[in-house]
Amino acid sequence: MADQMRDIKLEAKLGFDRVRKSIEDRCSTEYAADRVSREEFSSDPAEIRHRLVLTDEMRLILMFEESFPTSGYIDTLPFLRILAQEGSNIDLHSLGKLRTMTETSRKILAFFSSIKDGVYPALKRMTSKINVFPEVSRRIDAILDKTGNVKDTASDALYEIRRQIKDKEGAISKRMNSILKKAQTDGYVDSDAGIAVREGKMLLPVNSAFKRRVPGFVFDESSTGKTSFIQPAEIVELENEISELNFAQTREIARILSEFSDFLRPYVPELISSAECLGEIDFIMAKAQVALDYIAGMPVIADNGEMNLRKARHPLLEKALKREGKQIVPLTITLTPAKHILLISGPNAGGKSVCLKTTGLLQYMFQWGMLIPTSESSEMVVFDRIMVDIGDGQSIDNDLSTYSSFLDTMKEVLSTATDKTLVLIDELGSGTEPTAGGAIAEAILAELDRRGVYGVITTHYTNLKLYASGQGSGVVNGAMQFDAKNIVPLFKLDIGLPGNSFAFELARKMGLPEAIIKDAEQRAGEDFVGMERNLRKIVRNRRALDEKLEKIRNTDKTLENITGKYQKELEGIQQKKKEILDQARKEAEEIVKGANRQVENTIRTIKESQAEKEKTTEARKELQNFLGALAGAKLQEEKNKEDYLENKLKKLAQHKQKEKERKARRGGSKPDTSAPDLQDAPTEKQRTGPLSVGEKVRIKDNGMVGEVSLVSNKAVTVIVGNVSTKMPLSKVERISSNEYRSAMKEVRDSRPSTIVQDAALAERKLAFKPEIDVRGERVNDALEIVMKFIDDAIMLNMSSVRIVHGKGTGALRDEIQRFVKATPGVASVKDEHIQFGGTGVTIVTFE
């Protein structure tokens, strides 16, 4: 069966566009967000069932399974598709993303391999498309360390290049100090002078008179011209060698990535399939998380044409009411082939439109493949299409009035509606002269009834209520309950009775003069007023009957509890009886043993008395008295126990007979057994777990968003625009791709003019100090301060800066220099001239 194409106006009227947006916001990947956008309303029962089962299984996993990975879902398809082309190479950042993807795939497969067969079968079949290649993971781990940097051991050549770079950097510092000392000894440099640094280069402050005697290049002069700053030729040569080694390092890393790309290319088709499957899981997980928010469940797909919405709740309205501290009133609606149109009437603001929209939204969610907030015993019918007329459709552009718009919609409905169509019409026939409008509305209702169209329609027209009350009609009346005493709506739907407008009662409550109301009642006529009065009476009687039925149901529940209690007591009695009999047997054995001893004593007495008549008679009498007393006591005890058991069994039998007779008198009615809703369902499992390369995050301090490029146990490197920033893990929070896109759009939309930006940068540059002192700080705190300092320097286009960290053990210096060297945009990292701090100060030069 063909799917109904996505109708943006229909989704907006029903409120499904907001549901779709909620799901899209939960997606971590662009693939999943795109799936939310592309997923359409389906009229294929098998497809709907498949979508619902997948979402319901994921809902259960999020509720009960801690080992299922809920993070690590990132976009890898863009670079994998490029990588499939011959000659293309993977970059370092994409390699980190690929490692995150393979690790997530491994965790998913491990989860489904650990569960029993038959548990989550649909998701298990779907994830069978995921492939994990241990050799690919091993190769990646051989190239990247835990933070995402290329290991020294990625290749022998890279190891040797990096070793030489370290040796050369150490040699420059040592050689420069040696040259300085020799120049001081030779008198070319003042004894109290030290190594100077200009634009990141280490220079000797040579007396200009001797500048020809020091081999090297004159880089600068003092303002007086007395001092020439010379870069020794040896140092120039060493720096050139380091530059060449850095170029060689870059080439070697590129070669390693190229070699890995060639190795990976045969696996790319399977990796693309795995990436798409991970995207599908991300999409389904987003649906399941929203379902947990809505406390939604999976309904039954009916094949007999009966639609039973039980304890249905409008998810958007419920959320709004919760913010106000209010509770939503659940809705129960039944439509069958015999009674396929529900005509709801009642006072304004009584909840008629909410019933209509709840039905429409939940039906659309169901056929889109989304779990719905109802009792899981609800039964849903699959329709070919949903058609609605909700709200004021007037249009100045199209020269349509409200009623003209209604007629235009009805023309479309009458041209296409069948018994596979759900029609939702708010205020049928309103917007024109009541007599003509009511007649047209009744004719339309009769035609929809004749075709067997399913629908929920609201109205105030009395003729439509009478049509629904007619014999043989496929329309059933429904009324929104109203507290006539307090003149307030109850927002409860009664099916089977037409609603009362309560127009006169509302007029009295609003303070309209009584004379006006009386006049209005006379003008309405006795028939109308009488009918309204009878409707109110019927409603009162119906409510009294409902209260009695509720009492009967409560009584039935109480009786069932009592029956259960008696049943347990009977089982206890039977167990007690068994224990008593066992104890009686033991006591009988002891009694027999005592009787034997008494007989033996009597015989011994007779023998010892040599058969004297008096003694013998006395001994026999004592024995007879002992046996008689024993038998009497046992008989009385057994009689008492038997009487107790008989009385208990007799009472239980009488109780069961009375209950059976009571049910027979009521025609066998049973308590309401409809399944409860999901109000006590466990809360949503939020996406947790460590951050992975490629995930989107927000910086808590300033609200900026970016993408993770490196992750360690304590810190994370985030790419924000063109700037890479390292910070502690506690400073960031994971966000979805949709939130990332929204934040980036806001930044673009709110970006000020170039003139304002330049002025702001100029002001910051004037306030910026090119030196920072982190002496006395702990390593982690110092690194955070240095990170912000370097970021500001890069942003303000500074040429170089000084970091004062002190000498100490050298640990802080090493950590700072290692971090700064790994920062993009840094050209060189050197120790200060010995005269200006030496190894206690680091000079950072930018590209």
Side-chain angles (χ1 to χ4, degrees):
M1 299 175 71
D3 288 354
Q4 174 175 314
M5 296 299 291
R6 180 178 177 183
D7 187 333
I8 296 176
K9 290 184 179 179
L10 173 63
E11 291 188 2
K13 286 184 176 182
L14 294 177
F16 184 76
D17 56 336
R18 295 167 61 189
V19 176
R20 192 189 288 267
K21 181 68 166 54
S22 297
I23 298 171
E24 189 175 343
D25 287 343
R26 295 302 187 98
C27 296
S28 296
T29 63
E30 293 286 346
Y31 177 94
D34 184 59
R35 282 284 289 110
V36 176
S37 178
R38 288 187 292 107
E39 192 80 308
E40 294 181 349
F41 178 96
S42 175
S43 56
D44 182 354
E47 175 63 21
I48 294 170
R49 188 186 305 277
H50 178 66
R51 295 179 187 180
L52 291 174
V53 168
L54 288 174
T55 308
D56 194 50
E57 288 183 2
M58 182 61 73
R59 178 181 67 93
L60 295 174
I61 286 176
L62 294 179
M63 287 168 63
F64 303 115
E65 305 291 351
E66 294 290 336
S67 60
F68 185 82
T70 56
S71 61
Y73 298 88
I74 57 175
D75 289 297
T76 56
L77 282 171
F79 70 80
L80 283 175
R81 286 168 178 158
I82 294 173
L83 200 59
Q85 302 171 9
E86 199 68 33
S88 58
N89 292 324
I90 194 170
D91 58 51
L92 201 58
H93 186 53
S94 297
L95 185 60
K97 286 185 173 183
L98 181 62
R99 178 163 68 177
T100 300
M101 172 198 152
T102 56
E103 180 62 18
T104 304
S105 299
R106 184 192 63 77
K107 290 178 181 178
I108 290 173
L109 289 182
F111 170 79
F112 283 107
S113 64
S114 66
I115 62 175
K116 297 178 181 179
D117 291 338
V119 181
Y120 316 127
L123 282 174
K124 193 169 186 178
R125 282 193 300 272
M126 191 187 82
T127 55
S128 63
K129 299 176 184 177
I130 297 177
N131 295 293
V132 174
F133 302 103
E135 182 60 19
V136 172
S137 299
R138 190 192 67 77
R139 288 282 191 105
I140 296 175
D141 291 338
I143 295 173
L144 299 180
D145 60 18
K146 292 182 179 179
T147 62
N149 291 313
V150 178
K151 292 180 177 178
D152 293 348
T153 56
S155 73
D156 294 339
L158 184 62
Y159 180 84
E160 181 61 26
I161 290 169
R162 288 183 174 175
R163 185 190 64 77
Q164 291 181 32
I165 291 174
K166 291 178 183 177
D167 291 345
K168 297 292 183 186
E169 288 174 345
I172 286 177
S173 181
K174 291 178 182 178
R175 186 57 185 155
M176 198 66 185
N177 288 327
S178 177
I179 293 172
L180 174 65
K181 289 179 181 178
K182 185 177 184 306
Q184 288 172 334
T185 302
D186 293 341
Y188 304 150
V189 178
D190 294 341
S191 60
D192 59 347
I195 297 173
V197 177
R198 294 287 189 276
E199 297 182 9
K201 297 183 181 298
M202 301 178 72
L203 307 173
L204 288 177
V206 179
N207 191 317
S208 295
F210 303 108
K211 64 182 180 181
R212 303 286 182 188
R213 299 186 182 184
V214 178
F217 300 93
V218 177
F219 190 81
D220 199 1
E221 286 187 350
S222 64
S223 58
T224 61
K226 293 181 179 180
T227 303
S228 297
F229 296 96
I230 298 175
Q231 185 178 28
E234 296 179 46
I235 302 302
V236 173
E237 187 177 345
L238 286 172
E239 286 192 345
N240 289 338
E241 290 176 5
I242 289 177
S243 296
E244 290 177 2
L245 288 171
N246 283 328
F247 289 138
Q249 177 181 237
T250 302
R251 288 193 299 271
E252 180 59 18
I253 290 175
R255 187 197 65 78
I256 292 169
L257 294 177
S258 177
E259 183 181 276
F260 176 79
S261 299
D262 293 337
F263 155 77
L264 187 67
R265 196 161 284 111
Y267 298 98
V268 167
E270 287 80 6
L271 290 172
I272 288 176
S273 176
S274 298
E276 290 174 345
C277 192
L278 289 182
E280 285 292 329
I281 292 175
D282 184 29
F283 165 58
I284 295 168
M285 187 156 43
K287 289 171 62 180
Q289 287 175 328
V290 172
L292 287 173
D293 283 349
Y294 291 164
I295 315 177
M298 179 176 169
V300 177
I301 300 180
D303 55 6
N304 59 357
E306 290 191 7
M307 176 182 179
N308 291 291
L309 271 177
R310 297 187 176 97
K311 298 183 180 179
R313 309 180 317 280
H314 193 293
L316 305 178
L317 176 61
E318 183 175 31
K319 198 171 181 179
L321 290 175
K322 279 185 178 179
R323 287 195 294 266
E324 299 174 6
K326 300 177 181 178
Q327 292 289 329
I328 195 169
V329 179
L331 170 71
T332 296
I333 288 179
T334 299
L335 297 177
T336 67
K339 294 290 183 180
H340 48 88
I341 296 177
L342 173 62
L343 184 73
I344 305 176
S345 53
N348 288 322
K352 299 190 302 297
S353 297
V354 171
C355 291
L356 182 144
K357 290 181 178 180
T358 300
T359 305
L361 176 58
L362 267 54
Q363 183 67 39
Y364 198 97
M365 289 172 63
F366 161 72
Q367 293 196 228
W368 190 80
M370 184 64 188
L371 304 181
I372 58 176
T374 67
S375 166
E376 289 187 321
S377 64
S378 293
E379 299 170 274
M380 303 296 287
V381 177
V382 177
F383 296 104
D384 286 346
R385 63 179 60 83
I386 299 175
M387 307 185 77
V388 303
D389 182 59
I390 300 174
D392 187 354
Q394 65 179 329
S395 171
I396 297 176
D397 295 337
N398 296 326
D399 193 26
L400 287 176
S401 66
T402 301
Y403 192 67
S404 297
S405 173
F406 161 75
L407 293 176
D408 189 56
T409 304
M410 290 302 100
K411 181 179 70 173
E412 182 182 356
V413 168
L414 293 172
S415 65
T416 57
T418 67
D419 60 352
K420 292 292 185 181
T421 303
L422 176 65
V423 173
L424 307 170
I425 305 175
D426 194 18
E427 300 295 351
L428 177 61
S430 63
T432 189
E433 193 276 325
T435 303
I440 293 174
E442 185 174 351
I444 292 172
L445 180 62
E447 178 60 20
L448 296 178
D449 182 16
R450 186 188 65 79
R451 296 187 187 184
V453 174
Y454 282 70
V456 177
I457 299 172
T458 67
T459 188
H460 285 288
Y461 284 130
T462 302
N463 62 316
L464 299 187
K465 302 176 193 177
L466 294 174
Y467 177 88
S469 302
Q471 191 172 5
S473 168
V475 184
V476 59
N477 271 308
M480 300 308 300
Q481 290 186 14
F482 196 83
D483 186 346
K485 181 178 180 182
N486 298 309
I487 316 299
V488 292
L490 300 176
F491 303 107
K492 293 181 180 179
L493 176 65
D494 263 343
I495 295 180
L497 290 176
N500 191 323
S501 67
F502 289 93
F504 300 128
E505 287 79 0
L506 286 171
R508 286 190 175 93
K509 183 182 180 183
M510 298 305 295
L512 209 64
E514 184 64 25
I516 298 294
I517 297 173
K518 290 291 186 182
D519 185 33
E521 288 179 340
Q522 291 176 1
R523 291 176 184 275
E526 184 61 31
D527 290 342
F528 177 81
V529 175
M531 185 176 68
E532 293 281 297
R533 189 181 299 114
N534 288 332
L535 283 174
R536 289 196 296 274
K537 184 177 180 181
I538 292 172
V539 169
R540 285 196 299 271
N541 293 339
R542 176 70 176 270
R543 192 170 301 155
L545 179 60
D546 286 343
E547 289 175 359
K548 290 181 179 179
L549 288 174
E550 186 63 27
K551 287 181 181 179
I552 292 172
R553 291 191 185 99
N554 292 333
T555 303
D556 284 345
K557 290 179 181 179
T558 303
L559 290 175
E560 285 183 356
N561 292 334
I562 293 173
T563 302
K565 180 181 177 181
Y566 276 129
Q567 189 66 34
K568 289 181 181 179
E569 189 173 348
L570 176 60
E571 292 173 358
I573 290 171
Q574 291 173 341
Q575 178 64 27
K576 188 69 176 176
K577 179 179 179 180
K578 182 178 181 299
E579 292 174 0
I580 290 172
L581 291 176
D582 291 340
Q583 182 65 27
R585 291 190 187 94
K586 292 179 181 179
E587 291 177 0
E589 291 177 0
E590 292 296 326
I591 291 170
V592 171
K593 290 179 182 178
N596 289 336
R597 286 195 296 271
Q598 183 68 28
V599 171
E600 290 173 358
N601 290 336
T602 302
I603 294 172
R604 185 168 56 255
T605 300
I606 292 173
K607 288 182 178 179
E608 289 175 354
S609 63
Q610 295 179 354
E612 292 181 8
K613 186 175 180 182
E614 292 181 1
K615 289 279 187 180
T616 301
T617 302
E618 185 177 351
R620 285 178 176 174
K621 187 176 181 180
E622 287 179 3
L623 178 60
Q624 191 67 31
N625 291 338
F626 170 75
L627 293 175
L630 179 65
K634 288 301 294 178
L635 285 172
Q636 184 62 38
E637 182 180 356
E638 290 299 323
K639 185 176 185 300
N640 291 339
K641 292 176 181 177
E642 289 295 333
D643 289 345
Y644 174 76
L645 292 176
E646 287 296 329
N647 287 335
K648 282 289 183 181
L649 293 173
K650 186 176 180 180
K651 286 182 179 179
L652 184 60
Q654 289 174 350
H655 173 73
K656 287 186 175 180
Q657 181 62 29
K658 288 180 179 179
E659 183 181 0
K660 185 176 180 182
E661 291 173 357
R662 187 182 297 107
K663 288 186 176 181
R665 286 195 300 270
R666 292 206 311 266
S669 61
K670 295 182 180 180
D672 185 13
T673 57
S674 60
D677 58 24
L678 304 174
Q679 295 290 347
D680 298 325
T683 57
E684 165 193 353
K685 178 183 174 185
Q686 305 296 330
R687 296 192 184 209
T688 57
L691 288 171
S692 304
V693 173
E695 288 195 286
K696 307 298 189 298
V697 294
R698 179 186 290 109
I699 301 172
K700 295 179 181 178
D701 291 342
N702 54 27
M704 298 179 71
V705 297
E707 183 175 306
V708 176
S709 62
L710 297 174
V711 183
S712 62
N713 291 334
K714 297 182 180 179
V716 59
T717 300
V718 181
I719 299 174
V720 180
N722 296 322
V723 179
S724 178
T725 303
K726 186 174 182 180
M727 62 189 68
L729 286 168
S730 61
K731 296 288 186 181
V732 301
E733 59 183 356
R734 179 186 283 112
I735 62 174
S736 68
S737 295
N738 205 51
E739 290 176 294
Y740 175 78
R741 290 197 307 274
S742 298
M744 292 302 292
K745 184 176 184 299
E746 289 177 8
V747 170
R748 289 194 298 271
D749 292 345
S750 61
R751 183 172 296 160
S753 66
T754 305
I755 295 174
V756 176
Q757 286 185 357
D758 291 344
L761 286 174
E763 185 178 349
R764 288 187 65 181
K765 194 165 186 177
L766 289 173
F768 181 80
K769 296 180 180 180
E771 181 178 299
I772 191 171
D773 191 341
V774 294
R775 287 177 292 184
E777 298 286 346
R778 294 182 178 179
V779 174
N780 288 339
D781 296 337
L783 286 177
E784 185 173 356
I785 295 170
V786 169
M787 174 186 67
K788 294 180 179 178
F789 179 66
I790 294 297
D791 287 345
D792 287 346
I794 293 173
M795 185 180 298
L796 298 174
N797 200 25
M798 304 299 293
S799 59
S800 64
V801 293
R802 300 176 81 247
I803 303 173
V804 181
H805 44 67
K807 294 180 180 179
T809 62
L812 182 57
R813 165 190 173 273
D814 294 340
E815 288 295 326
I816 289 175
Q817 291 193 358
R818 185 180 297 110
F819 165 72
V820 175
K821 286 176 184 178
T823 302
V826 174
S828 65
V829 180
K830 310 289 183 186
D831 289 331
E832 175 63 284
H833 184 277
I834 192 170
Q835 182 179 356
F836 301 106
T839 57
V841 179
T842 293
I843 304 298
V844 182
T845 306
F846 302 103
E847 296 176 351

